[in-house]
Amino acid sequence: MVCVLQCYYVQRLTCTFLSFHRPILVHNPHLDGLKDDVLYHFSLGTETHDLPAMFGDVKFVCVGGSPWRMKSFIEYIASVLGMEDPKAEYPNICAGTDRYAMYKIGPVLSVSHGMGIPSISIMLHELIKLLHHARCTDVTIFRIGTSGGIGLEPGTVVVTKQSVDANFLPKFEQVILGKTVMRNTDLDPGLAQELLECSKELNQFDTQLGNTMCTMDFYEGQARLDGAFCSYTEEDKQEYLHNAQKAGVCNIEMESSVFAAMCKMSGLRAAVVCVTFLDRLKGDQLTSSHDILNNYQQRPQILVGHYIKKHLTHKKDS
Amino acid sequence: MVCVLQCYYVQRLTCTFLSFHRPILVHNPHLDGLKDDVLYHFSLGTETHDLPAMFGDVKFVCVGGSPWRMKSFIEYIASVLGMEDPKAEYPNICAGTDRYAMYKIGPVLSVSHGMGIPSISIMLHELIKLLHHARCTDVTIFRIGTSGGIGLEPGTVVVTKQSVDANFLPKFEQVILGKTVMRNTDLDPGLAQELLECSKELNQFDTQLGNTMCTMDFYEGQARLDGAFCSYTEEDKQEYLHNAQKAGVCNIEMESSVFAAMCKMSGLRAAVVCVTFLDRLKGDQLTSSHDILNNYQQRPQILVGHYIKKHLTHKKDS
């Protein structure tokens, strides 16, 4: 018993020590020489805003494509954490621009990122610098999104094990000065497991762990038959998607690879949690009703909300 | 004189004939089999909306990254064409979604596309299908945007001759079923020349014809020194940008290559008109005042507005 307790306290102390010392890493010696760092696409900056005062307490960041969804997430998380004020409007912190929207309540930040790798990449560069300038530590980040499933019942939530490219390889190609550099797309396996546990506790919808294919477009890049251009057959499409399935791909979206790569480089614990809107083996068009799709897209919010509440409650109790 | 008149009428008849027969081309045999084509990211569809009635008269389409800018463009074009109604609000036709915003006045459509190749690619697939379903003919399309210049005075407008990739090559790589297909990024040379003529007539700001480099991200992909990550020196950056300049690159943005490729494939006359916000040889950060940047970003609108007005006036007079 003494031994178990000792192990417990050593573990807690180690966690506390580690978490206290897990800063946000930027890898850019040039930043130190900047008097003012203008985070242009957020309409924020180090000279114009007191970033440590505004963001220093952030411990959880949720990002997603749609600005509306990220506003609804902050309202949802406020109610989950019992921090809602029925009279309060949650102001958009990036109101000076329409590139991204950003909301905050307590230790939770919610940011939209638009669609596709380039759009989320700009947002992540500026978010990582923001968290660094704000001297945040021990931050966990989630991408909550929508996706096409492969062989899954629509509405299934997929927690990404590895993000893979269009050839099912776990890598992200970053072009720097015209040369291609390969980056790792591993996500935090412990965090993924904790999210699966949360789903079991909630018991409201199916959640699976699987690989997520990240593509450069929604139509030809995902073997859809309903774009403006299509040079392949239904059989070609089925063969490609079945090969993806054999490689462990459960769903397809458009941001996970650069999200995984950049979060890993900056020391952020990261997870990708996407609901599937349809089974791509059975079709391409999103014909489900608005109500059904709306219900589906709340599922990643519910799962991540449960995780955040659990962690904050645990911290308060301990 | 008879000969000149004959030439004139033959030319006019040929133009009329050609313009009448210049439809929007989709290259997808599967579309004919769709009972309903849901343009999901526009929140429009062939069963739910009368697309020919809503869009059949469209002759000019303007696209740009920011939804605010595309709303301000439709207000501006309404005033230029004398079609404004001081009491009128221009409704967002895509109000059912926050992925893109769309506005229309008379024959002019204005659509936002977000940031980066994947985001504009989704929009263009659905726009090309929309124009096709609406049975539009003889449509001219402009991307009006912002960019970083190379060796140009900030505020200079660049009309793109060719869109080139990060190695200064005029191609767009489209991944289909995991394989890379090369697409041509030529833009309409006649339209570019007409825009340069318009700029001379306006005589309000400098406009240049040049190549535009289209990159996959804003920071490392454009050799910026102020991202969250940077593994190269100021000298490496300068060498890369000077090499780009030697290859005829006047400015850098993030959408022109797929825009050029998709418009060419669908038979849309297309031009890219971007203002430069800064000279990248002298810096990376956007530190100019809001008023200056706002003035700069109106310039592509003014140029394209002048072109549209000239063409509509010419049509009315003829």
Side-chain angles (χ1 to χ4, degrees):
Chain A
M1 182 62 186
V2 173
C3 176
V4 170
L5 272 177
Q6 269 181 339
C7 280
Y8 174 79
Y9 282 112
V10 166
Q11 200 181 17
R12 288 294 304 277
L13 280 168
T14 312
C15 285
T16 309
F17 178 79
L18 282 176
S19 71
F20 192 75
H21 288 275
R22 194 157 58 79
I24 311 302
L25 307 171
V26 293
H27 299 276
N28 184 356
H30 306 283
L31 286 184
D32 293 337
L34 281 179
K35 191 177 165 287
D36 180 14
D37 190 3
V38 177
L39 308 174
Y40 175 72
H41 301 86
F42 285 159
S43 198
L44 297 172
T46 52
E47 284 290 293
T48 47
H49 297 80
D50 185 347
L51 300 180
M54 290 171 75
F55 300 103
D57 61 341
V58 168
K59 295 295 175 196
F60 302 97
V61 182
C62 254
V63 302
S66 146
W68 291 356
R69 192 174 353 113
M70 300 326 291
K71 185 172 189 193
S72 105
F73 176 75
I74 214 72
E75 289 162 355
Y76 174 74
I77 203 78
S79 74
V80 163
L81 301 180
M83 296 172 87
E84 80 274 35
D85 174 353
K87 286 180 229 148
E89 262 289 305
Y90 300 97
N92 176 6
I93 301 168
C94 297
T97 177
D98 61 349
R99 300 300 189 169
Y100 304 109
M102 184 187 285
Y103 304 92
K104 182 177 181 296
I105 185 134
V108 184
L109 194 65
S110 174
V111 195
S112 72
H113 57 59
M115 289 187 286
I117 287 172
S119 187
I120 194 175
S121 148
I122 298 174
M123 191 282 286
L124 286 173
H125 268 283
E126 298 186 14
L127 176 69
I128 290 164
K129 290 200 295 176
L130 181 152
L131 298 172
H132 168 75
H133 291 313
R135 297 191 285 275
C136 295
T137 58
D138 203 23
V139 176
T140 301
I141 185 166
F142 306 90
R143 162 163 148 68
I144 53 171
T146 59
S147 63
I150 303 186
L152 298 177
E153 198 61 37
T156 305
V157 172
V158 178
V159 175
T160 303
K161 191 175 168 186
Q162 261 188 328
S163 174
V164 300
D165 68 9
N167 289 303
F168 326 132
L169 300 172
K171 62 185 172 63
F172 170 65
E173 297 187 359
Q174 171 69 50
V175 177
I176 302 176
L177 308 178
K179 294 184 185 69
T180 301
V181 175
M182 298 297 180
R183 285 182 176 163
N184 182 298
T185 58
D186 285 348
L187 290 152
D188 191 299
L191 181 57
Q193 281 303 329
E194 284 184 75
L195 287 163
L196 292 176
E197 282 299 316
C198 286
S199 180
K200 279 187 199 154
E201 289 160 16
L202 281 167
N203 197 28
Q204 291 180 21
F205 42 79
D206 276 343
T207 302
Q208 300 220 358
L209 184 69
N211 290 346
T212 296
M213 182 160 73
C214 182
T215 68
M216 287 301 297
D217 80 314
F218 187 78
Y219 288 98
E220 293 172 287
Q222 296 189 8
R224 272 190 161 81
L225 300 171
D226 62 343
F229 315 123
C230 180
S231 55
Y232 41 87
T233 64
E234 168 76 35
E235 291 68 38
D236 296 333
K237 168 195 155 176
Q238 289 294 338
E239 187 188 351
Y240 181 67
L241 293 184
H242 277 102
N243 285 340
Q245 195 176 27
K246 279 181 212 154
V249 173
C250 282
N251 64 337
I252 314 175
E253 47 77 93
M254 298 175 61
E255 293 87 13
S256 59
S257 62
V258 73
F259 173 83
M262 290 180 72
C263 292
K264 191 176 171 71
M265 285 173 73
S266 61
L268 286 158
R269 284 188 87 200
V272 176
V273 184
C274 290
V275 72
T276 60
F277 265 177
L278 78 170
D279 181 359
R280 288 295 319 289
L281 298 178
K282 293 181 182 162
D284 296 326
Q285 290 243 314
L286 288 166
T287 49
S288 298
S289 74
H290 180 267
D291 286 350
I292 288 178
L293 294 181
N294 198 37
N295 173 291
Y296 288 169
Q297 73 179 1
Q298 285 172 13
R299 294 179 177 184
Q301 300 191 20
I302 293 168
L303 185 54
V304 169
H306 184 79
Y307 174 94
I308 292 174
K309 185 179 181 182
K310 193 171 152 182
H311 273 252
L312 288 176
T313 311
H314 179 259
K315 204 176 163 189
K316 213 185 286 173
D317 294 346
S318 62
Chain B
M1 182 64 189
V2 173
C3 176
V4 170
L5 272 178
Q6 270 181 338
C7 280
Y8 173 78
Y9 282 113
V10 167
Q11 201 181 17
R12 287 294 305 276
L13 280 166
T14 313
C15 283
T16 308
F17 178 79
L18 282 176
S19 71
F20 192 75
H21 288 274
R22 194 156 60 78
I24 310 305
L25 307 171
V26 293
H27 299 276
N28 183 355
H30 305 285
L31 287 184
D32 293 337
L34 280 180
K35 193 176 164 286
D36 180 14
D37 190 3
V38 177
L39 307 175
Y40 176 72
H41 300 87
F42 285 159
S43 196
L44 297 171
T46 53
E47 284 290 293
T48 47
H49 298 79
D50 184 348
L51 300 181
M54 291 171 76
F55 300 103
D57 62 341
V58 169
K59 296 294 174 195
F60 302 98
V61 182
C62 254
V63 304
S66 144
W68 291 356
R69 192 173 354 114
M70 299 326 290
K71 185 172 188 195
S72 105
F73 176 74
I74 214 73
E75 289 162 355
Y76 173 72
I77 203 78
S79 74
V80 164
L81 300 180
M83 297 172 85
E84 79 274 36
D85 174 354
K87 286 180 227 148
E89 261 290 303
Y90 300 97
N92 177 6
I93 300 168
C94 298
T97 176
D98 61 349
R99 300 300 189 169
Y100 303 110
M102 184 187 286
Y103 304 93
K104 183 177 180 296
I105 184 133
V108 185
L109 193 66
S110 174
V111 196
S112 72
H113 56 60
M115 288 187 287
I117 288 173
S119 186
I120 194 174
S121 148
I122 298 174
M123 191 283 284
L124 285 174
H125 269 282
E126 298 186 14
L127 175 68
I128 291 164
K129 291 200 294 175
L130 180 153
L131 297 173
H132 168 76
H133 291 311
R135 297 191 284 277
C136 295
T137 58
D138 204 23
V139 176
T140 302
I141 186 167
F142 307 89
R143 163 164 149 67
I144 52 171
T146 58
S147 62
I150 303 185
L152 299 177
E153 197 61 36
T156 305
V157 172
V158 177
V159 176
T160 303
K161 190 173 168 188
Q162 262 189 328
S163 173
V164 300
D165 68 9
N167 289 303
F168 326 132
L169 299 172
K171 63 183 170 67
F172 171 64
E173 297 187 358
Q174 172 69 51
V175 176
I176 302 176
L177 308 178
K179 294 182 187 70
T180 301
V181 175
M182 297 298 178
R183 286 182 176 163
N184 182 300
T185 57
D186 284 348
L187 289 152
D188 191 301
L191 182 57
Q193 282 302 331
E194 285 184 74
L195 287 163
L196 291 177
E197 282 299 315
C198 286
S199 181
K200 279 186 199 154
E201 289 159 16
L202 280 167
N203 197 28
Q204 291 181 21
F205 43 80
D206 277 342
T207 302
Q208 301 220 356
L209 184 71
N211 290 345
T212 296
M213 181 159 76
C214 181
T215 67
M216 288 301 297
D217 80 313
F218 186 79
Y219 287 97
E220 292 172 288
Q222 297 189 7
R224 271 190 162 80
L225 299 171
D226 61 342
F229 315 123
C230 179
S231 54
Y232 42 88
T233 64
E234 168 77 34
E235 291 68 37
D236 296 333
K237 168 196 155 178
Q238 290 294 338
E239 187 188 352
Y240 181 67
L241 294 183
H242 277 101
N243 285 340
Q245 195 177 28
K246 280 182 210 152
V249 173
C250 283
N251 65 336
I252 314 174
E253 46 77 92
M254 297 176 63
E255 294 88 13
S256 59
S257 62
V258 73
F259 173 83
M262 291 181 71
C263 292
K264 191 176 171 71
M265 287 174 73
S266 62
L268 286 159
R269 284 188 87 200
V272 176
V273 184
C274 290
V275 72
T276 60
F277 266 177
L278 78 170
D279 180 0
R280 288 294 320 289
L281 297 179
K282 293 181 182 162
D284 295 327
Q285 290 242 316
L286 288 166
T287 48
S288 298
S289 75
H290 181 268
D291 286 349
I292 288 178
L293 294 181
N294 198 37
N295 173 292
Y296 288 168
Q297 71 180 0
Q298 285 171 13
R299 295 180 175 184
Q301 300 191 20
I302 293 168
L303 186 55
V304 168
H306 183 77
Y307 174 93
I308 293 174
K309 186 180 180 184
K310 193 171 151 182
H311 274 252
L312 289 176
T313 310
H314 178 260
K315 204 177 165 188
K316 213 186 284 174
D317 294 345
S318 61

